[in-house]
Amino acid sequence: MKQLIFNSSNLKETQTFAKKIASCLNKGDIVFFSGPIGAGKTIMVKEIAKFFGVKDKITSASFSLMKKYFGTKADLYHIDLFRLEEGEMFNLGFEEMLEEETSLILAEWPAAAADFFPKNRLEIEIVLQKEDKRKIILKANTLAYQKMLEKLAKKIKR
Ligand SMILES: Nc1ncnc2c1ncn2[C@@H]1O[C@H](COP(=O)(O)OP(=O)(O)OP(=O)(O)O)[C@@H](O)[C@H]1O
Ligand SMILES: [Mg+2]
């Protein structure tokens, strides 16, 4: 496993970091966002959506569980499983979504359905710290995302 840790001091820094993450992502990629309520998961999703040319406003997906957005560079599925109840998973059209391979999949609160997704994914965990500070931990378990993190690390250094 490879990790990259980014310490954010404020909202702006998280947004800038998310934009850099976006620039290292491709169609078909899957990104998990975990961390407590108000950590900044949706903030990051919005920034990534903007990068991929999504013009529609990203709204909460926790009631619908899944929303699709069309972007100029890639389409995007925003998933929020905060309210997922056991057994609900198979009525959502996840299979079709995963077969598409042309959309980006960004999932908040993925834990309840983690086994349902392919192992080849980027996992982001946001840890709340004092006031506006956040520790953002990116974990890559596969070669593809380990390479992605190497690319991202170079962009952060600049
Ligand atoms: N360093 C920071 N990074 C990200 N967000 C921050 C930071 N500091 C303060 N914030 C604030 O924290 C909030 C994060 O909200 P957001 O909706 O992204 O949380 P979330 O993790 O998606 O929560 P939920 O689990 O309810 O969906 C925003 O109001 C944002 O302005
Ligand atoms: Mg959210």
Side-chain angles (χ1 to χ4, degrees):
M1 198 205 28
K2 192 179 168 69
Q3 278 200 170
L4 187 153
I5 297 177
F6 179 81
N7 289 298
S8 166
S9 310
N10 54 52
L11 171 62
K12 189 88 214 309
E13 280 186 17
T14 299
Q15 288 171 325
T16 305
F17 180 54
K19 197 190 280 177
K20 284 180 184 163
I21 294 173
S23 72
C24 297
L25 292 173
N26 295 297
K27 285 178 187 176
D29 279 346
I30 300 172
V31 187
F32 279 11
F33 294 89
S34 49
I37 289 171
K41 301 179 292 295
T42 305
I43 290 285
M44 294 185 79
V45 167
K46 284 180 177 168
E47 209 59 41
I48 293 169
K50 203 192 287 175
F51 181 88
F52 281 93
V54 173
K55 300 283 187 285
D56 286 343
K57 193 177 186 304
I58 302 273
T59 53
S60 172
S62 59
F63 283 98
S64 54
L65 302 179
M66 178 170 93
K67 280 186 184 170
K68 188 177 186 178
Y69 295 89
F70 298 93
T72 52
K73 289 194 230 171
D75 297 337
L76 181 150
Y77 283 98
H78 181 207
I79 296 168
D80 188 330
L81 304 179
F82 184 63
R83 288 167 201 279
L84 180 73
E85 278 167 39
E86 221 154 319
E88 267 183 327
M89 229 16 233
F90 299 97
N91 307 319
L92 284 172
F94 269 44
E95 284 99 337
E96 289 85 344
M97 174 188 74
L98 291 169
E99 273 165 21
E100 257 185 47
E101 288 181 349
T102 54
S103 298
L104 205 59
I105 299 173
L106 308 178
E108 297 184 43
W109 296 100
D115 291 343
F116 195 81
F117 289 92
K119 291 274 177 292
N120 191 30
R121 65 200 182 208
L122 179 68
E123 298 184 353
I124 300 181
E125 190 194 337
I126 310 175
V127 183
L128 275 175
Q129 292 181 312
K130 254 192 188 167
E131 289 154 9
D132 285 358
K133 290 191 169 49
R134 307 283 191 271
K135 187 188 280 286
I136 306 174
I137 307 163
L138 281 66
K139 294 175 205 160
N141 293 300
T142 60
L143 192 61
Y145 286 103
Q146 284 163 7
K147 283 185 178 161
M148 185 256 164
L149 288 190
E150 281 168 21
K151 200 173 148 189
L152 178 62
K154 282 180 196 152
K155 290 197 181 196
I156 293 167
K157 273 195 204 133
R158 270 190 233 139

